[in-house]
Amino acid sequence: MNDPKIRVLVVDDHPVLRDGVAAILENQSDMTMIGEARDGREAVDRFRSLRPDVTLMDLQMPGMNGVDAITEIRSADPGAKIIVLTTYAGDVQAVRALKAGAVGYLLKSGLRTELIDAIRDVHRGQRHVHRDVADEIAVHVVDEPLSSREVAILRLVSIGKANKQVASELGLSEETVKGHLKSVFAKLGVADRTHAVTVAARRGIIEL
C-alpha cells in the first residue's frame, strides 16, 4: 500500500533551519521529511535518489546555489515541485527562481505560519508565493531591468570601487561608467551610489 504522506526534501546549508522544518513537519499527519541536503549539488543528487513530492530549497548556499539546482532538477524532471525558502523578499531574485521552475516562494520569517499550507498547495498543483514577494513583483513588473553591464558596474560599486577603478576593471572610460550609473539611478529611482547598492541588494539584483 502506498504511503499517503507528502514526502518532503529540505535543502539548506544551516542545520538549525533543517531541524526546525523537521520539527514542524513531525506534527503533521499528512507529510514527512524524507531527506535533507546542504547545498545545491547535494540537492540534485538527493532529489534523484529520493524523488520527493515537494522540495524546499534555499537560494543562498555554498557551491551550487538554489536557482542553479532548481534549473537542473527541473530539466531532469519537469514535474518537480519546488518551494523556495529564503530570507530575501527581492522581486528580481524571486522572478529568477520562478522562471527556473520553482512553484512556491516563501520567506523563512513565515515558516511557522505558512509552510504547511504552502506544501499542501504545491502538492495539489497550485502555486504559493508569499504575499509580500508577490506585491514586490507586481510593483516592479513594468520597470526597465538593469543591463548586464549596469549590474557588473553596480557589483563593483558595492565593494567600494571608485568610478576610475570600475572603468579600469571593465575596460571602459570613466565617462561611460558615469553614464551607466546615471541610468542605474534612474531605473532604481535613487539619487546616489549608496542607495543604489542598498535597493539593488534588497531586490536581489546583486548580492552583498
Side-chain angles (χ1 to χ4, degrees):
M1 187 173 179
N2 291 331
D3 187 347
K5 290 187 176 183
I6 302 170
R7 301 162 64 255
V8 181
L9 171 65
V10 181
V11 184
D12 196 284
D13 57 331
H14 293 101
V16 172
L17 187 284
R18 299 197 303 271
D19 290 346
V21 171
I24 293 171
L25 298 184
E26 254 177 31
N27 295 321
Q28 306 303 314
S29 61
D30 62 339
M31 56 188 70
T32 183
M33 179 171 157
I34 59 165
E36 54 188 281
R38 296 163 294 182
D39 56 48
R41 174 47 55 200
E42 190 174 13
V44 173
D45 294 340
R46 297 290 276 165
F47 182 90
R48 285 174 178 157
S49 62
L50 296 173
R51 293 293 168 176
D53 298 313
V54 175
T55 300
L56 303 179
M57 181 79 70
D58 190 18
L59 291 182
Q60 312 291 345
M61 296 180 289
M64 178 185 280
N65 64 39
V67 170
D68 289 344
I70 292 168
T71 301
E72 188 162 334
I73 288 171
R74 290 273 298 191
S75 66
D77 182 357
K81 295 172 179 176
I82 303 171
I83 300 173
V84 168
L85 206 52
T86 181
T87 55
Y88 303 95
D91 66 292
V92 173
Q93 186 163 255
V95 168
R96 197 179 297 137
L98 293 169
K99 282 184 175 179
V103 290
Y105 200 97
L106 286 186
L107 300 181
K108 291 179 181 178
S109 58
L111 262 187
R112 294 195 175 278
T113 57
E114 204 173 350
L115 179 62
I116 298 306
D117 286 344
I119 291 173
R120 288 179 181 140
D121 286 348
V122 165
H123 186 246
R124 284 194 297 260
Q126 301 171 355
R127 285 183 176 269
H128 190 113
V129 178
H130 189 282
R131 182 171 179 174
D132 290 349
V133 177
D135 288 347
E136 191 77 2
I137 292 172
V139 166
H140 296 292
V141 70
V142 296
D143 289 359
E144 185 181 356
L146 269 61
S147 68
S148 57
R149 175 69 80 193
E150 289 166 349
V151 172
I153 289 171
L154 202 50
R155 285 197 184 107
L156 292 174
V157 168
S158 74
I159 58 174
K161 300 282 187 180
N163 288 352
K164 189 173 183 178
Q165 294 171 301
V166 173
S168 176
E169 288 204 26
L170 297 180
L172 304 170
S173 71
E174 197 170 343
E175 285 305 310
T176 298
V177 170
K178 288 178 181 177
H180 279 305
L181 281 174
K182 186 176 180 182
S183 173
V184 168
F185 295 170
K187 289 178 180 180
L188 297 182
V190 301
D192 57 59
R193 296 158 65 97
T194 302
H195 197 192
V197 169
T198 302
V199 170
R202 177 179 59 78
R203 291 185 55 196
I205 296 170
I206 61 171
E207 295 175 18
L208 297 181

